[in-house]
Amino acid sequence: MELLMAIVVGILFMCATYLMLSKSILRIIIGTGLLSHGAHLLILTMGGLKGDSVPLLSDKVASYVDPLPQALILTAIVISFGVTSFLLVLAYRTYQELGTDDMEEMRGTKTNE
Protein backbone atom coordinates (compact mmCIF):
# COMPACT_ATOMS: atom_id res chain seq x y z
CA MET A 1 0.00 0.00 0.00
CA GLU A 2 2.83 2.40 0.83
CA LEU A 3 4.46 1.74 -2.55
CA LEU A 4 1.25 2.59 -4.37
CA MET A 5 0.86 5.79 -2.36
CA ALA A 6 4.47 6.74 -3.10
CA ILE A 7 3.82 6.27 -6.83
CA VAL A 8 0.67 8.41 -6.64
CA VAL A 9 2.59 11.14 -4.76
CA GLY A 10 5.32 11.06 -7.41
CA ILE A 11 2.77 11.36 -10.22
CA LEU A 12 1.05 14.28 -8.47
CA PHE A 13 4.39 16.06 -7.98
CA MET A 14 5.30 15.41 -11.62
CA CYS A 15 2.01 16.81 -12.94
CA ALA A 16 2.20 19.79 -10.56
CA THR A 17 5.72 20.64 -11.69
CA TYR A 18 4.70 20.43 -15.35
CA LEU A 19 1.67 22.68 -14.80
CA MET A 20 3.58 25.24 -12.71
CA LEU A 21 6.19 25.63 -15.45
CA SER A 22 3.58 26.65 -18.04
CA LYS A 23 2.77 30.21 -19.07
CA SER A 24 -0.92 30.25 -18.14
CA ILE A 25 -1.91 31.54 -14.71
CA LEU A 26 -4.79 29.07 -14.45
CA ARG A 27 -2.44 26.14 -15.06
CA ILE A 28 -0.06 27.49 -12.43
CA ILE A 29 -2.90 27.67 -9.90
CA ILE A 30 -4.01 24.11 -10.70
CA GLY A 31 -0.37 23.03 -10.35
CA THR A 32 -0.10 24.54 -6.88
CA GLY A 33 -3.31 22.74 -5.90
CA LEU A 34 -1.93 19.42 -7.14
CA LEU A 35 1.33 20.07 -5.33
CA SER A 36 -0.48 20.64 -2.06
CA HIS A 37 -2.52 17.44 -2.53
CA GLY A 38 0.69 15.55 -3.20
CA ALA A 39 2.20 16.95 -0.01
CA HIS A 40 -0.89 15.89 1.95
CA LEU A 41 -0.62 12.34 0.63
CA LEU A 42 3.10 12.30 1.39
CA ILE A 43 2.53 13.33 5.00
CA LEU A 44 -0.23 10.74 5.35
CA THR A 45 1.96 8.01 3.88
CA MET A 46 4.95 8.91 6.04
CA GLY A 47 2.69 8.92 9.11
CA GLY A 48 1.98 5.25 8.51
CA LEU A 49 -1.03 3.43 7.17
CA LYS A 50 -2.24 0.78 9.57
CA GLY A 51 -5.40 -0.58 7.98
CA ASP A 52 -8.13 -0.91 10.59
CA SER A 53 -6.42 1.02 13.39
CA VAL A 54 -8.08 4.10 14.81
CA PRO A 55 -6.40 7.41 15.73
CA LEU A 56 -7.49 7.02 19.37
CA LEU A 57 -5.70 5.68 22.41
CA SER A 58 -7.82 3.89 24.98
CA ASP A 59 -7.74 0.75 27.10
CA LYS A 60 -9.87 -1.21 24.63
CA VAL A 61 -7.69 -0.55 21.57
CA ALA A 62 -4.56 -2.64 21.07
CA SER A 63 -3.01 -0.70 18.17
CA TYR A 64 -3.61 2.87 17.13
CA VAL A 65 -2.47 5.36 14.49
CA ASP A 66 -0.70 8.59 15.40
CA PRO A 67 -3.30 11.39 14.94
CA LEU A 68 -0.70 14.14 14.44
CA PRO A 69 -0.24 13.66 10.64
CA GLN A 70 -4.01 13.69 10.18
CA ALA A 71 -4.31 16.92 12.14
CA LEU A 72 -1.48 18.50 10.13
CA ILE A 73 -3.13 17.47 6.87
CA LEU A 74 -6.48 18.89 7.95
CA THR A 75 -4.82 22.20 8.76
CA ALA A 76 -2.89 22.16 5.48
CA ILE A 77 -6.09 21.53 3.51
CA VAL A 78 -7.70 24.63 4.99
CA ILE A 79 -4.61 26.73 4.29
CA SER A 80 -4.28 25.46 0.71
CA PHE A 81 -7.98 26.22 0.10
CA GLY A 82 -7.42 29.80 1.25
CA VAL A 83 -4.31 30.22 -0.89
CA THR A 84 -6.03 28.72 -3.94
CA SER A 85 -9.05 30.98 -3.57
CA PHE A 86 -6.78 34.02 -3.20
CA LEU A 87 -4.83 33.04 -6.33
CA LEU A 88 -8.04 32.51 -8.31
CA VAL A 89 -9.34 35.97 -7.35
CA LEU A 90 -5.96 37.48 -8.19
CA ALA A 91 -5.93 35.75 -11.58
CA TYR A 92 -9.49 36.86 -12.34
CA ARG A 93 -8.67 40.45 -11.46
CA THR A 94 -5.50 40.32 -13.54
CA TYR A 95 -7.46 38.97 -16.50
CA GLN A 96 -9.99 41.79 -16.13
CA GLU A 97 -7.27 44.43 -16.16
CA LEU A 98 -4.93 43.03 -18.83
CA GLY A 99 -7.20 40.79 -20.92
CA THR A 100 -4.80 37.84 -20.90
CA ASP A 101 -3.61 35.06 -18.64
CA ASP A 102 -0.32 34.49 -20.45
CA MET A 103 2.66 35.29 -18.25
CA GLU A 104 4.82 36.38 -21.18
CA GLU A 105 2.25 38.93 -22.35
CA MET A 106 1.80 40.23 -18.80
CA ARG A 107 5.49 40.98 -18.49
CA GLY A 108 5.07 43.90 -20.87
CA THR A 109 7.72 45.94 -22.61
CA LYS A 110 9.90 48.82 -21.51
CA THR A 111 7.43 51.30 -22.99
CA ASN A 112 4.61 49.97 -20.77
CA GLU A 113 6.54 50.32 -17.52
Side-chain angles (χ1 to χ4, degrees):
M1 185 70 174
E2 286 86 10
L3 179 63
L4 178 65
M5 292 294 279
I7 292 171
V8 170
V9 167
I11 290 172
L12 282 174
F13 282 169
M14 177 188 62
C15 293
T17 304
Y18 175 75
L19 287 172
M20 289 189 331
L21 290 175
S22 67
K23 295 180 182 179
S24 172
I25 289 181
L26 191 58
R27 286 185 180 199
I28 293 170
I29 294 170
I30 293 171
T32 57
L34 280 178
L35 187 68
S36 68
H37 288 309
H40 300 159
L41 282 177
L42 180 65
I43 293 170
L44 184 66
T45 304
M46 296 306 292
L49 302 172
K50 294 183 182 170
D52 295 335
S53 299
V54 295
L56 302 171
L57 181 60
S58 68
D59 297 334
K60 299 176 185 175
V61 178
S63 66
Y64 67 96
V65 178
D66 186 19
L68 184 64
Q70 296 174 12
L72 289 174
I73 292 169
L74 185 61
T75 305
I77 287 171
V78 172
I79 292 170
S80 68
F81 177 72
V83 169
T84 302
S85 62
F86 172 72
L87 288 175
L88 284 172
V89 169
L90 188 66
Y92 178 70
R93 185 73 180 122
T94 303
Y95 184 77
Q96 278 184 335
E97 287 292 320
L98 300 176
T100 184
D101 71 337
D102 190 3
M103 295 295 285
E104 291 295 323
E105 292 178 18
M106 278 191 247
R107 185 171 299 184
T109 60
K110 292 190 184 235
T111 59
N112 290 341
E113 293 178 350

